[in-house]
Amino acid sequence: MTGSVDRAVAGEGRRIVRRKVLVGAAALVMLAGGGASIAHGAADGPDGGGYAAHGTGSAGGSTDGMASADGKVGEDGKAGEVGMVGGASRSGGFWMRADGVFSPPGSFVPSDALTYDTALVPAAARIEVTQYADRTTTRVGTRLKGLLPNRAYGMHVHTSPCAADPASAGPHYQHRASATADPVNEVWLDFRTDRNGAGEAEARHDWGFRDGGARSVIIHDEQGGAGKRIACFTVPLSS
């Protein structure tokens, strides 16, 4: 009797092992298929679905494409710091995407996105900056959430990283040195928010950035070539 029980237990154990092997193999097949899809998106960039790749990595993602550090977005729509991703595109260029959550200088949790005026750029407002470049075109885009509704903001690419002092970001990045500011020689991303405090803009140029020459974007309290610096996001834009 004992021998029969032992044989039955051993047989059941072998069946369990076989089931685990089959489940493991199926999981590997699913991961292989998903991994190919993710890699394809990351290589394509903005022209071929690369934005979606941002939400598939360790940074996580949200339904609106602005991801959080742990892959979760709270009921209030706020997200954590997520950093930067990028890759090559099928057309021979490259793309980059960076996200940030604004906080005042000196906050307990350091951020690459700093707000100098929380009345105009509240803490926990969110920013996304994208870049796509190939042999003939450079596109820089931005999307923001959590700002004041129905308000105009100015925004430009600047030469240096953000710091506690708003002036640390340096002047506007210029393709050719000039004493005047204009959107042809510089990257202007002026935008107006909607009733929900969200805004977006894109600039296109037939020239690229000098290596290491464009290091941040500054949000201004008014549109045009000047205005008070109210927020800054450190984001190295590539040549």
Side-chain angles (χ1 to χ4, degrees):
M1 181 66 177
T2 301
S4 298
V5 172
D6 290 344
R7 286 194 295 274
V9 171
E12 182 61 23
R14 286 193 293 272
R15 284 192 292 274
I16 292 173
V17 170
R18 283 197 295 271
R19 284 198 296 270
K20 287 183 176 180
V21 170
L22 290 173
V23 171
L28 287 173
V29 170
M30 292 176 66
L31 286 173
S37 177
I38 291 169
H40 180 72
D44 290 348
D47 283 350
Y51 283 4
H54 187 74
T56 59
S58 60
S62 68
T63 56
D64 65 358
M66 298 181 77
S68 67
D70 58 3
K72 299 178 181 178
V73 176
E75 293 180 357
D76 59 359
K78 297 175 183 176
E81 199 73 28
V82 298
M84 185 170 68
V85 294
S89 71
R90 288 178 298 184
S91 60
F94 68 89
W95 66 276
M96 176 280 299
R97 175 177 174 174
D99 300 77
V101 180
F102 287 104
S103 64
S107 296
F108 179 74
V109 178
S111 175
D112 286 333
L114 300 177
T115 173
Y116 307 119
D117 187 336
T118 55
L120 296 179
V121 180
R126 298 159 59 192
I127 183 171
E128 170 190 279
V129 172
T130 58
Q131 179 189 5
Y132 174 79
D134 59 21
R135 297 179 184 86
T136 61
T137 305
T138 296
R139 299 201 316 258
V140 178
T142 188
R143 293 195 301 167
L144 302 102
K145 287 195 170 186
L147 303 181
L148 298 186
N150 302 313
R151 192 187 194 283
Y153 291 85
M155 187 170 178
H156 313 101
V157 171
H158 283 246
T159 60
S160 300
C162 309
D165 180 359
S168 297
H172 294 180
Y173 177 90
Q174 294 188 325
H175 178 53
R176 294 185 177 87
S178 173
T180 60
D182 69 78
V184 176
N185 192 42
E186 302 175 350
V187 179
W188 290 22
L189 296 163
D190 292 357
F191 63 93
R192 185 176 184 86
T193 56
D194 61 19
R195 63 181 182 179
N196 298 313
E200 61 183 61
E202 182 180 86
R204 299 189 180 210
H205 293 283
D206 59 4
W207 45 261
F209 295 108
R210 292 180 294 277
D211 188 30
R215 303 294 303 280
S216 63
V217 292
I218 285 277
I219 302 176
H220 299 266
D221 66 342
E222 61 183 65
Q223 295 186 345
K228 177 185 175 184
R229 301 184 182 198
I230 57 175
C232 182
F233 182 35
T234 297
V235 50
L237 295 157
S238 301
S239 58

